[in-house]
Amino acid sequence: MGGRVLSVASECVPLVKTGGLADVVGALPAALAVTGWDMRVLLPCYRALKAQTAGWPVVWEEGDLWGGPGRVLAGTVAGVPVLLLDAPHLFDRDGGPYSSLQGEHPDNAIRFAALSWIAAQIAREGLADWKPDVLHAHDWQAGLAPAYLAYHGNGGCKSVLTIHNIAFQGWAPGHMLGILRLPGHAFHTDALEYYGGISSLKGGLVTADWITTVSPSYAAELMRPEFGMGLQGVLAARGPVVSGILNGVDTSVWNPGAEEPPFGPKSLAGKVSARASLCQEFGLDVPGPLAIVVSRLTDQKGIDLLPAVVPDFVLGGGGLIVLGSGDPGMEAAMRNLAARFPGRVAVRIGYDESLSHRLFAGADAVLVPSRFEPCGLTQMYGLRYGTLPVVSLVDGLADTVIGANPATLAAGAATGITFHPVDTLAFGQALTQLLVLYRQPKLWAKLRSNAMAHPVGWETSAAAYAALYERLTG
Ligand code: ADP
Ligand code: GLC
């Protein structure tokens, strides 16, 4: 069996990344190849990507793509087969994928409608030598792709929409319906209409042949008002075609055996020396557990809880290094913590892939106090690196970490520390538990080896995607 899948997204490692979406989109083609599914990834050709496309063949041309022509260039980057939508009037500009220093790009609705339009065209008609069996759209940026297939014909191609984060819904004013090449009857509460406008995510949710979320718990949570963020009813109505498939981690990228110095479950000397180097680099002297945070600094991630819980953690012997950027208020709060606790707390504001590897290698624990977390990747890096995850018991975090308690400790199953509800009281208790467990070397070693033995690779989930594609096309 097997077949062809056109994956459509706004981010893909190693080309462009603002979060875990990019990691997942970039890892899936190789993970699926072993199942017999040939996946290519369609992305916008942002300004920074243009230089890489020299000599790439043009495989699709579109004369009128909302104010200018578009063409699709095909190539392979770090083993990922990619199709880049080159439409300079939409994507050749300053800033990131969604915004510049002036704020959000004002034409985002059109930019990503164009991506989705081209995806649907290729899915429906096929390239000269490659006709997809399945179009796999990711998040709101690709949400209109299943809708275009549904409203303009699918040419036999099935569609899957994966929700990585329902907080981002891609809203545009209602008068743009025709501009976005959507039919009048789509402006209906049972279709794309959303609070008087158009939601491209909702467009995908109501039209895709199947919907997945990035963890099983998130699928269930999204049908509840607390987590569905307005779309809970839409999800619930489509319940029979919604399923959760947990993300994996690219274990060739996140590999303790490839860090400097290397280490593994049976040889932890490299981890001990990585910890010493980190402490030296950041000027820290930490008698207890050294914790890290590697995260976007946003409300979703519960970063605002840190100032209330870190003082007691530090008093108890703990230390903390924060790597992240985002909300200016949270960045300032992190800098304040570092200033209050020199030698124990350090902060690096910014995005630094190589530092993030050194942090996971050298730290004892990674803190992920998210209010909601569709899947989350850093707790899985923590498992693989023996850097115990301390996580709130929500969505994907609950699906990946087994919290230490009398039952899981007795069963020898615990892989981290979990807490709920997501507040400073429960988070503070979890950090106290971390201090206590760290003081018991035998127990700590057992937890760490459980964590490192926990499978976080793509094998199981890639097989689940392959089975879904088979079911849809079979
Ligand atoms: P989200 O996609 O919601 O941000 P995930 O946990 O799924 O959360 O993925 C976040 C990804 O971004 C991980 O690969 C994480 O290591 C990375 N990351 C986040 N912030 C930083 C940072 N400041 N520097 C380096 N990597 C970061
Ligand atoms: C989103 C979610 C995160 C998930 C990632 C990849 O950014 O916030 O939980 O891991 O997508 O699916």
Side-chain angles (χ1 to χ4, degrees):
M1 294 289 275
R4 292 162 171 176
V5 190
L6 178 65
S7 176
V8 194
S10 55
E11 303 184 20
C12 175
V13 158
L15 289 168
V16 50
K17 167 170 170 175
T18 72
L21 168 68
D23 294 288
V24 172
V25 171
L28 272 176
L32 277 162
V34 294
T35 69
W37 284 86
D38 169 17
M39 176 179 271
R40 299 188 186 178
V41 184
L42 175 69
L43 291 166
C45 188
Y46 302 112
R47 174 174 289 176
L49 306 187
K50 195 66 183 270
Q52 311 203 21
T53 62
W56 287 20
V58 176
V59 295
W60 189 273
E61 283 184 288
E62 191 84 6
D64 174 23
L65 205 57
W66 283 277
R71 52 185 200 150
V72 175
L73 305 160
T76 302
V77 179
V80 184
V82 289
L83 300 167
L84 290 182
L85 172 57
D86 181 29
H89 60 295
L90 300 174
F91 302 117
D92 184 6
R93 57 177 74 171
D94 285 338
Y98 318 117
S99 55
S100 68
L101 289 175
Q102 283 74 48
E104 294 235 319
H105 298 305
D107 54 348
N108 274 346
I110 283 176
R111 296 169 75 231
F112 293 105
L115 177 73
S116 303
W117 180 261
I118 292 293
Q121 300 276 77
I122 294 175
R124 185 185 303 116
E125 291 170 34
L127 301 174
D129 59 347
W130 196 83
K131 167 92 170 69
D133 304 296
V134 177
L135 179 155
H136 189 156
H138 299 270
D139 269 353
W140 74 266
Q141 295 90 347
L144 286 181
Y148 289 139
L149 288 183
Y151 295 127
H152 299 285
N154 69 10
C157 187
K158 299 292 181 184
S159 61
V160 174
L161 176 71
T162 293
I163 308 170
H164 295 261
N165 196 335
I166 208 157
F168 304 102
Q169 306 183 340
W171 191 87
H175 71 81
M176 287 186 70
L177 191 77
I179 298 173
L180 294 177
R181 304 181 182 172
L182 293 161
H185 65 85
F187 200 71
H188 189 280
T189 45
D190 290 338
L192 277 77
E193 191 276 335
Y194 193 57
Y195 292 101
I198 303 154
S199 156
S200 56
L201 182 64
K202 187 181 176 194
L205 292 177
V206 297
T207 54
D209 293 308
W210 199 272
I211 297 162
T212 71
T213 62
V214 288
S215 68
S217 290
Y218 195 50
E221 301 273 40
L222 284 186
M223 298 180 195
R224 300 177 182 282
E226 312 90 275
F227 292 97
M229 301 194 177
L231 287 168
Q232 59 275 8
V234 178
L235 259 300
R238 299 228 63 204
V241 298
V242 178
S243 61
I245 300 179
L246 201 61
N247 286 336
V249 161
D250 187 334
T251 50
S252 65
V253 174
W254 291 96
N255 177 12
E259 296 296 343
E260 194 46 59
F263 64 97
K266 293 202 177 72
S267 51
L268 286 157
K271 187 163 177 70
V272 175
S273 94
R275 186 188 196 278
S277 309
L278 263 189
C279 285
Q280 194 180 18
E281 178 180 350
F282 284 91
L284 301 182
D285 183 7
V286 183
L290 173 61
I292 54 169
V293 168
V294 178
S295 182
R296 294 187 283 120
L297 304 181
T298 65
D299 185 62
Q300 171 190 341
K301 303 292 180 179
I303 300 301
D304 50 300
L305 303 176
L306 284 168
V309 296
V310 165
D312 280 348
F313 180 58
V314 167
L315 259 176
L320 175 69
I321 305 176
V322 177
L323 168 63
S325 64
D327 181 279
M330 289 186 203
E331 291 182 356
M334 295 303 104
R335 286 201 186 92
N336 276 342
L337 273 179
R340 269 177 76 191
F341 300 106
R344 285 298 193 80
V345 177
V347 170
R348 184 72 59 84
I349 300 298
Y351 188 92
D352 188 335
E353 197 81 29
S354 125
L355 174 58
S356 75
H357 277 259
R358 286 185 287 120
L359 290 174
F360 281 99
D364 301 305
V366 55
L367 313 183
V368 194
S370 304
R371 293 199 163 78
F372 68 94
E373 196 59 78
C375 181
L377 298 176
T378 58
Q379 83 280 10
M380 294 201 268
Y381 305 158
L383 289 171
R384 185 149 165 81
Y385 279 59
T387 305
L388 284 207
V390 178
V391 306
S392 52
L393 209 48
V394 298
D395 313 313
L397 302 176
D399 284 351
T400 48
V401 179
I402 303 172
N405 63 40
T408 58
L409 287 172
T415 60
I417 293 171
T418 58
F419 65 91
H420 204 263
V422 191
D423 60 19
T424 53
L425 197 61
F427 190 17
Q429 281 294 112
L431 292 180
T432 302
Q433 194 186 3
L434 173 61
L435 293 168
V436 170
L437 289 170
Y438 189 77
R439 282 199 291 268
Q440 304 172 67
K442 258 184 138 166
L443 193 51
W444 183 260
K446 172 70 176 141
L447 284 169
R448 189 156 61 186
S449 85
N450 288 349
M452 295 180 90
H454 187 92
V456 294
W458 268 106
E459 294 76 8
T460 308
S461 299
Y465 278 117
L468 170 61
Y469 301 151
E470 302 284 353
R471 211 162 60 235
L472 288 173
T473 56

